[in-house]
Every structure is written in structure tokens, then in C-alpha cells.
Amino acid sequence: MYKLKGSRFNRVNPAQLLWRVFRVLASILILLIVVLAVSTAVTVLRSGDDSFVPPVLPLTVNDVGKLNAVRVGQVLRPESIADVQAVLASTSGRVSIGGGRFSQGGQTAYPDSLHLDMRSFNKVLNIDTAAKTVTVQPGIRWRDLQAAIDPHNLAIKIMQTYANFTVGGSLSVNVHGRYIGEGPLVGSVLRLKLLLADGSVVDASPNTNADIFYGAIGGYGGLGVIVEATLQLEDNIAVERRVRVMATEDYAQHFRDNVRDNSDVVFHNADIYPPHYNRLRDVSWLATDKSPTVAERLIPEDKDYYWQVKTAEFVASSNFGKWTREHIIDPVWYYPERVEWRNYEASYDVAELEPKDRSEYSYGLREYFVPVERFDEFHVQMRDIFQRNKANIINVSVRHAKADPNTILNWAKTEVFAFVVYYRQGTDAAAKKAVSVWSSEMIDAAISLGGAYYLPYQLQASPEQFLAAYPKATDYFALKRRLDPNNRFVNLLWAKYYPKNRDLLAQSKTDLGNYYRSEEQTFLTIPEWYLVFQPKEYADYLAQGRDPSNFPFYESIEEYWVLYDRAIAISRQSYPANTEYRTMLRVIGISTTLEYLAKGAYEGSIGRFTRWTASGEDTEEDKLIQQAHRAYSELIYDEPWYEFDFAGWRDRLWAETSLWGDHPLRKWERKLFFSAEFGLKSLYAKAIKYAAQSTYGETDKRIYLTAQRVISNSIRLPKEPDGVEMLAGGGDDFLMSVPRRGDFTKTMPRFASDEWAISDISGNHQIVVSLLGLAGADVSGLAGRELFRSVLVSDDERERIFVLVGVADLTRFLEALASKASEQQIELEHIFDY
């Protein structure tokens, strides 16, 4: 081979020429990849809807831990006893009661219940300074009560450490604090009024209706509504801090010798330092005649806790953080002399612990009670459990409580030490499971030593553990049957442990292993399912004979990231982050962005040119490609995308279309472009399928729900809808299996015309539905809450409407939709399972 150089021909090695050509092509390819990567990054960064203001999720009750969002049916904020009586008389369903919502396991809510938010029922009714008593409504916060009694130089006798809680909530869980010489809160309660399910009000005290008094205190709202309480107060005195560090094994003797019977000690706790648990710090506050070193009588409510929160995050982040706290932070913090008013030390604000965000990590409490003489035994078991399970414990605070022999659900059956465990956990399913493991072991350890665990936290104890820790629960249940025969007062605690609410299908659901799914996924599947909707939209577009060069690929990219941002914004209001799912959405979003950028650029240039050469007509290749996209759009409604036969359709293009004919340039361009696109997707699909099956195994194609017969006393059991399998029955409840993905949307409307009522789907009580309709279609009459709308990228006259529907309302919603469909030109597009 020769090439011309000047006036001479020079021999060139063919291999060198091929290498140069390869390098040029490789350079072009690398450049294209870089351009696409940069374009993708820029597109992703510029896309989305960060300014979206999410609608408030309808009637969702959550607690401080943000792990227990519960959709209730109605919220009432009573301000008087008459308000509560009126709503009980006018309704017949379940009632849940909430205050400050600092319980962490759903003790204040129940799905589809009438929720009484007591925080507006918050007046001080009477202060008797001579008798040192105060009468209050239950919704008042301890901090507000302190503000009312401090001018009289009076203080709360018994309360928990933090003052944000409501009095009614504290009574319902029978709190305790750091008070030496005292026991649970019940020891300071003189009398209370309880509103029963029939609307009557009962006065109760240790001497009058004592069973009701000792049942309602620590009864978690299962007997009625506490509407008034009279409390014993103490003098507000100055207290001085004394601090001592010691080996944990020396603490029990130290407490007996120096704290337990010391009448000067007002507050006391001992902080055990993780991760070794072999040293602790005794922090005691003693009555003193010294002048306070702190000017304020109460902690200001507008105090900034930025550094306290940051410090807590630092300590929780590593063992180095815990070492720093034990050896540097705490020694510095506790070094100065400190004298305060009793009310100041009792007015802590939970804001000093509240992280900025609980989406990926949450902070929680667990609490275990053991007889004082078993301290050393429990400490050793606790240390082993935490270390073996690698639990991220931030602090273990040891408190003391005198025996409480009278309350029915008493956690201090004898004089006890309380081990208050403050920890950090992830919010995903694996993290929740890990916490439940060590918590269950801790419960067993406490019970084995004659102790108990505390009920205001995550409901992970088994019914057997509950009864072992609270053996008088049977007496409580008998009292509840007498006072609340129709079982109106319920929450997630009593849904689990009260026999009348017991889920007879619980074991069947556990045996399934995957019955329960995270409710936030009904929101997070919105952008994922757009990658199913968009291919259908593209297939419809091509079926109309429209030019694929004009399809809005770039707008499709924007729409995906808008839906992503909106789904995240809505779900983060009440649910944990679900980082695994979010990561998956980002990965598929970026890969789709890359694909649509490339396809949009190609169709807008070369594709547009060859379409012009064909005078805008479809070739036989165009028609076969339309069929392929239709087949693909139909398959991915029910199967993972990687199950599509990309290679088979590529081969059909060559086998079923001629090599020559009209518009040859368009024909060959379509053949080559389609072959390249589906060839690459065929290879990518095989890789993704292998990775998915290696990581997750076979995809579960069923989802599960609990349903009841509409006519529960009917002898005839109605047939389950087509596509639904009945797996088990328990009382009026039936466990059913339903197809997932597209078949789920096809199957669920069949319940609307049958004799079944659905109570939950995968353990969840609300679900997202999308509708298609003309722009501006009215959906206000449907039994759901509109979340937002988006315009179809290829047809700006039609909208996609996202609606949040209660699971119990789903059949009613679908029936209303069917009757309104022709009038409003709207149709059901999809029901987003989990």
C-alpha cells in the first residue's frame, strides 16, 4: 500500500493504518462517551422539581421517632369534655388518643380511627398553694405547667426528664424521672377524671373507683380519655450538682451507701459509657442553701441547641466519638460548680436531642427494669448483648424507682433500677430487624431476673414476653371489657396485645416472610413506574404514525426527575428515607437519562434526515419497530424489563423485512439503528438479570392483603375475585394473595363488585393511585386526596393525576371513579403497590 507524501510514494504497513483508524474511532467513541456523561450529569443536576411544596399527607399521625406513620380517619382537637362527649356520641368506630406523641411505637394512633389530639385541651384549672396541688387538663405540657406554678415557688413532684410531654400522655404511660425517694408518676396523682366510651365521666382516686384509677394510669388510653388530673406539688428549691466517676461494678454499693437514703438528693442518674460499659458517672443534684449559678428559673423555650445536637451526632457516629464524650466532653461539661432551681433542672427540652433529619437514621429509647439487688447481673448480660449485636448505644442512664404495687400494668413491682437505653439506628428494614434482635434479648434478660421492660417504645416484644413482664394484664383486659365493651379505644399497642384485637393471621403473615412492605414505597414507586408509562406513551405515539424524531425524549428525562423529586418530598414528611430504594431510583434514572439523551440526539439528527428522505412515510422497518415497542410496553407492566426478547426482535427485523425497496436510506438506517439499540439492550439485560437474581433471587410476583367479608355473619363465604388466592382465615379476617405489577391494577377493581372489604395491603393503610384524564379534570368527588398532577410529554391536553387513597376506601374510590369516568374522561392508570 502506498500513500502520497510530497512527490514520493512511501510504503505503509497495513497494520499501522488499521491501528491509526482504530485509534481515531476509539477517540471519537471516548469523546462521545465523555460528552454523553457530561450531558447526563448536567441534565440530572438541572432536572427535577426542588421547589415542589408537598401536600400535607391526609390525617397522618406519627411520633418523635418518625418510624410509625399511621393514617387515621379523622382528627379532633377537643378543648372541653363536652367536645369529646359529642364526638363519641356521634360516631361508633375506633378511637385513638394522642398528646405530645413522644411514645415511639404507635401507642397514640390506630389506622382509620378517630384520633383525639389532646394538645388544645390544656388549661390549668386550679392551683392550691396552701395544699401544694394543681388541677389541669390533660393536654397541657409539663413546661407550661411549670411556667404556671413557678411564680408560686412550687415544683412538679414527679415527672420525666424532658418537659415537652403532655400530662395526660405521661399519666397514660406512668412515667418516672430522676427523683430519689419517689417511684412512678402515680405516686403524685391525687385524683383524675376518666371519660368512658359511653360518654360518662368517672371520678377516680386511690380511694374512689380505685380499679379505674390504677388501670387508667399506665393504661395507654385503652380504658377511656383522661380529661382532668390533680397532682401533688413540692417546693421549688435550689439544687447543687455533685458528680463522681466510678467503675460500673462499684455502683450498686455506692448507691446504697450514698444516694438511696440521702434525703438531700433530689435528682440522680448514673450514665454508663458505651462501648465498654465498665465506667459510669453519677450525676446527683442535692438540696442546698447556695445561691443559684444560673439566673433563669426555667430553661428558656427559645434556646439554641445546635452544638448539643452536633455533639450527639458525633458521639453516635463512632467509638472514637464515644471515647471523646467519656474522656473529654463530659469531664469539661461537668467540671464547673452548678447550682440551679429545681424547676430549671426539670425543664429540659427534647430539642437538645432532636437531629435535623431522621430520614436515614433515627434515635430511640428502650428501657428495662430490674430489682435493685440484681443490678450487677443485669449489667453483665446487657454488656454482652450490646457488644455481641454491635448495637450503636449512645448512653445508658440508670435511674431508681420505688415499688409501685397498685397500678395494674406496673413496671416497678418491687424497688427497681431503670436502665434507659438511648441508641441510634438506621431506618431501613435490616436496621429495624437488628434492633428488634437485641431488644428481644434485653427483654428476656430483664424478665429472667424478675424485672420488666417499658411499653412506650417499639412494639417488638412478643405477646408471651408482654404477659411475662406484665402478668396482671389479664386484670387490665377484664377491666377494659367492662368499661369499653365495644372496644372503641385502641392503638397499635392494644392492637397487638389485647386479645380481642389479636391478629389471628399474625403467624401466617410471619411465615410468608414478605407480607409486610414499607408504606413509603407506594410513593417511591412513582418515578420507577414512569419508566413503564413512558414506553407505552412512546408506543402509542408511534402507533399514530407520528415521527419518532419529534418525540420529546428530553422532556421525558425532565419528567422522570420531577416525579423523583416530588416522590421524595412527599415521602420524607412521615417516613424514613429508604436509602436502598432511593439509590435504585437514582441508578435507573441516570441510565435512562443517558439512553434518552443518546436517542434524542440521534433521532433529532440522523433519524430526522432519513425520515425526510422517505417523505415522512413509514417503512416496513418502521412498522415492525412500532410492534416491538408495543410488545415491550406491554411486557414491562407485568415482568421486569430485562425479560424482554430484545435479540429476538432484532433478528425479526432482518428476517421479516426486505433488504431493498422504497426509501432504501431510511430502511437501512432503521435496520442498523434498531439493531444497535436492541443489541446493546440485549447484552445489558442479561447482565442486569444476572445481577438481580444473584442479589435478590427470584422476584416475588405476589403481594398480600387482609380482607373481611362485608356481611360478617353470612353463612356463605363469598368467592374471592379472579386472580386472587385465599391463603388463610382467622375469625372474620382472610389472608389473600394478589398478583403484583400491572396485574395488581387489573385485579383490585374486582373487589369493588364483590363482597369483600380490604383492611390492609402488605400491612399498610394508604396507597397511591394514578389517573389519566383531560387537563383540569375534576377528581374532587373521589374518596382520595390529590397529591399533584403532571402533563403527558407527548400530549399537553392530558394529565396524569396522582391521588392518595386509604386502603379501606380503595374499593369505594374505584367505584366512584367508574361512575365518573365517562363524564370527566378520566381512567384508572395504575395502583402503586409497595
Side-chain angles (χ1 to χ4, degrees), residues 596-657:
Y596 286 0
L597 281 173
K599 197 166 183 177
Y602 182 89
E603 288 286 17
S605 55
I606 297 174
R608 188 181 301 279
F609 173 72
T610 61
R611 182 80 174 183
W612 173 75
T613 65
S615 301
E617 297 179 4
D618 285 339
T619 64
E620 56 183 339
E621 289 78 10
D622 282 298
K623 294 176 181 177
L624 189 65
I625 290 171
Q626 292 170 13
Q627 296 175 31
H629 282 291
R630 175 64 68 197
Y632 176 72
S633 71
E634 292 174 351
L635 175 132
I636 59 177
Y637 263 85
D638 299 308
E639 301 288 345
W641 71 272
Y642 50 72
E643 296 290 353
F644 187 70
D645 186 13
F646 293 102
W649 279 95
R650 177 200 60 198
D651 295 341
R652 284 185 61 182
L653 184 68
W654 291 93
E656 298 180 17
T657 61

Side-chain angles (χ1 to χ4, degrees), residues 50-72:
D50 293 332
S51 62
F52 174 65
V53 178
V56 176
L57 296 184
L59 307 181
T60 299
V61 174
N62 210 333
D63 55 52
V64 66
K66 302 300 182 187
L67 297 175
N68 295 284
V70 179
R71 180 189 185 272
V72 298

Side-chain angles (χ1 to χ4, degrees), residues 367-412:
E367 196 162 345
Y368 310 93
F369 307 101
V370 295
V372 291
E373 64 273 14
R374 312 300 291 270
F375 176 91
D376 291 323
E377 295 171 81
F378 184 75
H379 162 250
V380 171
Q381 293 188 48
M382 178 189 75
R383 179 180 61 197
D384 174 67
I385 291 169
F386 288 158
Q387 292 178 341
R388 180 163 35 82
N389 287 280
K390 298 181 172 58
N392 188 0
I393 308 301
I394 301 172
N395 185 63
V396 180
S397 179
V398 181
R399 319 286 176 83
H400 172 264
K402 294 175 67 176
D404 164 30
N406 296 316
T407 55
I408 299 178
L409 296 178
N410 56 344
W411 45 262

